[in-house]
Amino acid sequence: MKKIFLIIALLGSLTVNAQKPDLADPRLDGIELEYVGRDLAKAGAYVYRDLTYFHLFASHIVGWNGADGCFSYTFPDGNALWSFADSFTGMVTEYRNRNRSANLVRNAALVQTGEHSWHDFYQLGEYVSLDPNDRGRYGKLKTWLRHPQASLTDEQINNGETDSNLLYWESDGTVIMRDGKPIMQLMWGAVDNTMAGRGRALTEYSLEGKPGDEGYMKLLAHYTDAELPNKMNGFVMESADGYTYVYGNCSNGLGGYPTVARVKDHDLLGHWQYYTATADSDIFDWREDLDETLPIEKRRISNDWAINYGVFKYGDYYYMVGMGITGGDITIMQGEHPWGPFSKQYGLFRIPSEHSVTYGAFVHPQLSRTGEIVISYNMNPADITRYSLNADGTLKEETQNGFARNFNDRESADLYQSHFLRIFNWQSLYGVENIGPIEDPNKLLW
């Protein structure tokens, strides 16, 4: 009889966990949501597109107006940094395309001060021109952080050209306190014009004052030879155990298995450790050096793969969100420690076919309001085929390059953007209680 009551109690618990989210919850005030489906196993999670955050970025018309890469970090003053990799800048027309003044800078950043409109985002970096009569340069930005060995001249940069021989793409970062002052640390990956890796770098920025002040997000240091974990270019997570963890992947064909490194006392300039086995043992532990010749199974912290990992702590467990190859599913895994091992993978969302080439799923813990996971992913339009009639009535077929569509198509400025999801009731996948919003790990440091 006791077993029967236990089964009934468990079923009742699962029924409660599978309930739809309460969209009337006042904590969701101001967020516009569009229902797009359940988790892939229809096991209880509900997926909504976050139109509010999409429009906060997609409504920019001058300066930065679209990008891929989408990391976010909360500052002690309540503002947040959003950093991006390749970014479109210039002027968006009334038809929402970029065929007037436009260029593609290699990285960019915005400081968010509110959630009301794109006016709540302060643009970092230098403009090429803010003269509306200078139609060829108006609204264009310069790349926020140039590689010190980039080849363009000042004249070319001031004309709106951007580097391609050597450049930086942003990685994740953190905010630390040093001598009682907050400092933003940001990691970078250098690449050449073939997209081959050319090392790592770290920058530090002042957070004194407020957005718009001369010293706010002023570059304090640029370390081109800092000891940084190689191939660990993903999400940074602060932990209450006194370590900062950074996640990357070791490649296996089209996939990537997660790996992890950590640094004590949270300062990214500290000495890193790597969680691996050894050539002679399958026992994982923290090592002083990363042996990149080790087989993948001696470096990975999960048997399931994805890329662009994001990790957060919720209750007694850690959760890793990732996305497969371009257009792959967004997934979630669970582990007992920041180093996993992560398992019990569930599919959360399958990118719709109309979004075509998608990649780079990133978690934004600080945006969670009721316990939901907030995820962004990037989109690049695919090639499309258009049909028309020749003068003799025969059918004419033309293929339009997908990347060119970012400039010319009507509403093309809404394509190369970060698209946002809010996934409610994901806790039911693991039978854990919803204990409220996901905590922002950066707040552990303040």
Side-chain angles (χ1 to χ4, degrees), residues 17 19 70 88 100 104 111 136-137 146 184 206 249 272 303 318 357 359 373 409 429-430 436:
N17 285 338
Q19 290 180 348
C70 184
F88 282 105
R100 286 186 185 169
L104 186 75
V111 174
R137 303 191 308 154
R146 293 188 66 200
M184 175 74 210
S206 168
N249 69 68
W272 291 87
N303 292 328
Y318 294 83
V357 184
Y359 53 98
I373 303 172
D409 279 15
L429 304 177
Y430 297 98

Side-chain angles (χ1 to χ4, degrees), residues 286-320:
W286 290 101
R287 319 282 177 185
E288 295 301 308
D289 297 294
L290 175 63
D291 183 358
E292 295 184 35
T293 67
L294 287 173
I296 288 174
E297 59 268 20
K298 290 179 179 287
R299 290 181 283 154
R300 67 188 184 191
I301 56 175
S302 175
N303 292 328
D304 296 304
W305 61 264
I307 49 179
N308 299 110
Y309 303 99
V311 178
F312 61 90
K313 188 175 190 295
Y314 197 79
D316 297 328
Y317 294 94
Y318 294 83
Y319 296 89
M320 175 178 282

